[in-house]
Amino acid sequence: MFLITTGIVCQPVLAELYVDPNNEFIVADPSTYERSPKISGSNVTWNSRPSPSSGKLDVYYRILPDGLATNITNDPIHDQYYSDVFSNTIVYDDSIQGVMAYTIGGGTSIVSGSGGLPRVSWDLIVWEDNRNGNNDIYGKYLSGGSDFPICVNPASQRMVAVSYDVNNIVVWRDGRNSGSTGEDIYGKNLDTGQEFPICTSLGDQDYPDVWGNIVVWQDGRDLTTTSWDIYGYDLETQTEFPIATSDSSELGPAVCGNYVIWNVD
C-alpha cells in the first residue's frame, strides 16, 4: 500500500517531516504487495505482485487524484519492474525484452533489448546495458535516433540516474576502483562529453540520484564504525557535504530542488 501525503513541512537538505494524516490517501491496492513508487507531476508508477514472496511483478500507474490504478504489463510468467516516470512517459525493465517505454494514453515500445534498470528525464532514457559483456551505461532520446554509449569503462557501471532538465547530467555507481577505494560515484555531462569522478572516498558509494547541480548518494565510508550515511555534492561549486550521518542506516536517497529524502533502517 502506498500513501501520498500533503501538508508536509520540512527544511532544505536535512528534512524534518510533519505529516497531517487527514491528507493521506491510498494510491495502490493494500491487499497486494507494492514497491518502488515514483512520481512525476500527478502521474505515479510502481511495481506490484500478489505477496512479498510469491507471484510475478507487474508495472502499474495511476493519475492522481482520481484516476484508477492501471496495469501496463500483465505477463503471466516473466517479471516487469523498476519503473520510472517523467511526465507521460513510463520506462521499466522487462526481464525478457529489456528496457521498455510506455506513453500514458499511447502504446509501448522497446528501447533496448540488452539493458535494464532504466531512468527517464524529459526526452532522455538511460539504463544499465550488458551488450559488451559487463554493465555499461547507455542512453537514448525519445525524440528519435539510435541509442548511444555514456560510459563503457571495462569495469561495472550500475544504478544510473539522470537530470536532463538543467545540466544534462548522468550519474552512476562505478567499479573501476573497486580493488582500492571500493565502488565510487561518477558522472558525465552530455553537453560537453566530459566524464568525471564525483566521490572516490574509501568504502562503497551507491544509489546516486541527481537534480540540477546536486548529486546525492548512499555512502559507506564509515561502515566500520557506524552505518550507511547520505552525502551530497554540488557540481557548480565542486563541494562535497554530509546530509545524514546518524548511527542509523540512511539508505536510498532521492533529490528534487532543495530537498533530499531517504529511508532509515
Side-chain angles (χ1 to χ4, degrees):
M1 177 177 66
F2 296 140
L3 297 177
I4 293 292
T5 63
T6 58
I8 294 176
V9 179
C10 55
Q11 298 297 321
V13 183
L14 180 57
E16 297 291 340
L17 300 183
Y18 168 75
V19 178
D20 181 352
N22 294 322
N23 286 330
E24 294 181 349
F25 59 94
I26 296 172
V27 174
D29 184 356
S31 68
T32 58
Y33 173 70
E34 297 87 18
R35 71 178 194 181
S36 305
K38 300 288 177 59
I39 186 169
S40 175
S42 59
N43 297 328
V44 180
T45 183
W46 66 92
N47 312 140
S48 179
R49 64 184 178 188
S51 73
S53 58
S54 65
K56 57 172 292 298
L57 285 165
D58 281 308
V59 177
Y60 282 72
Y61 78 91
R62 178 179 169 183
I63 302 173
L64 301 177
D66 299 322
L68 298 176
T70 303
N71 60 309
I72 297 172
T73 65
N74 191 24
D75 188 317
I77 300 175
H78 305 109
D79 285 330
Q80 289 84 30
Y81 59 102
Y82 206 83
S83 57
D84 192 22
V85 58
F86 185 90
S87 187
N88 289 325
T89 300
I90 296 173
V91 296
Y92 60 93
D93 187 335
D94 184 295
S95 60
I96 297 299
Q97 297 187 84
V99 176
M100 310 293 291
Y102 173 82
T103 301
I104 295 175
T108 302
S109 60
I110 298 175
V111 178
S112 172
S114 58
L117 306 187
R119 300 292 300 272
V120 59
S121 179
W122 292 92
D123 187 41
L124 177 62
I125 300 174
V126 296
W127 65 88
E128 298 176 15
D129 197 289
N130 61 8
R131 71 185 68 184
N132 299 318
N134 65 322
N135 290 308
D136 296 316
I137 306 298
Y138 275 72
K140 185 175 183 177
Y141 292 102
L142 288 168
S143 55
S146 301
D147 53 6
F148 57 90
I150 295 173
C151 181
V152 292
N153 184 279
S156 177
Q157 290 82 40
R158 303 201 66 189
M159 306 311 300
V160 64
V162 58
S163 178
Y164 186 59
D165 53 344
V166 180
N167 287 333
N168 304 340
I169 298 295
V170 179
V171 299
W172 62 86
R173 185 187 80 194
D174 196 289
R176 69 186 71 186
N177 300 318
S178 59
S180 53
T181 62
E183 299 284 324
D184 299 319
I185 304 299
Y186 273 69
K188 186 173 185 177
N189 185 317
L190 297 184
D191 288 339
T192 66
Q194 179 188 10
E195 182 181 297
F196 49 89
I198 294 170
C199 181
T200 58
S201 295
L202 288 174
D204 288 338
Q205 287 78 42
D206 206 350
Y207 297 103
D209 196 24
V210 58
W211 192 92
N213 289 318
I214 301 300
V215 182
V216 298
W217 64 89
Q218 176 181 313
D219 196 289
R221 70 186 68 187
D222 295 323
L223 272 179
T224 57
T225 56
T226 56
S227 57
W228 289 100
D229 299 318
I230 305 298
Y231 274 73
Y233 185 83
D234 189 319
L235 294 168
E236 185 174 16
T237 64
Q238 299 184 9
T239 303
E240 181 182 285
F241 52 92
I243 296 172
T245 58
S246 74
D247 290 338
S248 300
S249 287
E250 289 92 17
L251 308 168
V255 59
C256 183
N258 289 327
Y259 299 102
V260 180
I261 61 174
W262 59 89
N263 298 315
V264 177
D265 187 3

